[in-house]
Amino acid sequence: MSIAIRPATGGDVAAIDALLRRAFPAPDEAMLVQRLCVDGDMVLTLVADDEESGALAGVIVYSRMTVEIGGKSIAAVALAPLAVDAGQRGQGVAEALVRASLAQLADAGAMLVFVLGDPAYYGRFGFSADWARGFASRYAGDYLMALPLQGGAMPCGERGAATHARAFAQLGGNS
């Protein structure tokens, strides 16, 4: 299989929504993406196209976060969701999306990326719970990981709040 990674466009909205609804057991992630878009909190959305069929093979979404270190705001984003069509899994689609998006975010000046997920999976990209420890977050714990993007450098100072976009508070029906 050959895939092409590209920025999502308005024409991809329905296909992204359908993919998210198929990829997860509940519509939470699809609703999260809708809310992030409406709230203006999306930072980057990339899609993977199956070049043979033209079908959407995967999507990765990043949103704004409010993060402080040493009392100063730093440029940080949250990765969520990452989804691959069931028929395309195990073929490197997710890895290609993660690697391409992290490179774009680093080039754009993002300092830190947070993800809530499986340490065994995200650890291979350099994400670590150690980087996220000490930040005040409603998701604090072993599954909240972070990755510094600017050559592994993080600003010095006491770690403060790491607050996800407002739409995350509504996941699972929580307001």
Side-chain angles (χ1 to χ4, degrees), residues 70-99:
K72 296 180 182 167
S73 284
I74 65 162
V77 295
L79 185 173
L82 168 62
V84 175
D85 188 76
Q88 310 285 347
R89 291 185 187 148
Q91 300 181 47
V93 175
E95 181 173 349
L97 283 165
V98 171
R99 293 200 187 282

Side-chain angles (χ1 to χ4, degrees), residues 12 22 24 28 33 37 41 49 64 69 81 97 103 115 122 125 134 141 149 151 162 171-172:
D12 295 315
R22 287 191 311 270
F24 294 97
D28 292 350
V33 169
C37 188
D41 286 327
D49 292 321
R64 252 175 259 298
I69 297 179
L97 283 165
V115 67
Y122 287 102
F125 302 106
L149 292 180
L171 279 175

Side-chain angles (χ1 to χ4, degrees), residues 97-115:
L97 283 165
V98 171
R99 293 200 187 282
S101 59
L102 291 176
Q104 284 191 32
L105 289 165
D107 289 348
M111 291 289 300
L112 196 57
V113 177
F114 284 84
V115 67

Side-chain angles (χ1 to χ4, degrees), residues 11 18 40 48 63 66 69 77-78 86 106 116 120 151 160 174-175:
S63 58
T66 303
I69 297 179
V77 295
L116 188 63
N174 299 328
S175 297

Side-chain angles (χ1 to χ4, degrees), residues 6 10-22 47 55-56 59:
R6 63 176 176 79
D12 295 315
V13 171
I16 290 170
D17 187 74
L19 171 66
L20 291 171
R21 289 174 189 278
R22 287 191 311 270
V47 294
L56 189 69
V59 63

Side-chain angles (χ1 to χ4, degrees), residues 67-72 74 133-136 154-161:
V67 175
E68 292 183 359
I69 297 179
K72 296 180 182 167
I74 65 162
R133 272 191 190 64
F135 284 102
M154 250 181 42
C156 294
E158 186 176 335
R159 294 176 183 187

Side-chain angles (χ1 to χ4, degrees), residues 143-170:
Y143 293 96
L144 180 66
M145 295 165 282
L147 173 67
L149 292 180
Q150 303 302 320
M154 250 181 42
C156 294
E158 186 176 335
R159 294 176 183 187
T163 307
H164 285 70
R166 190 172 42 148
F168 281 86
Q170 297 172 341

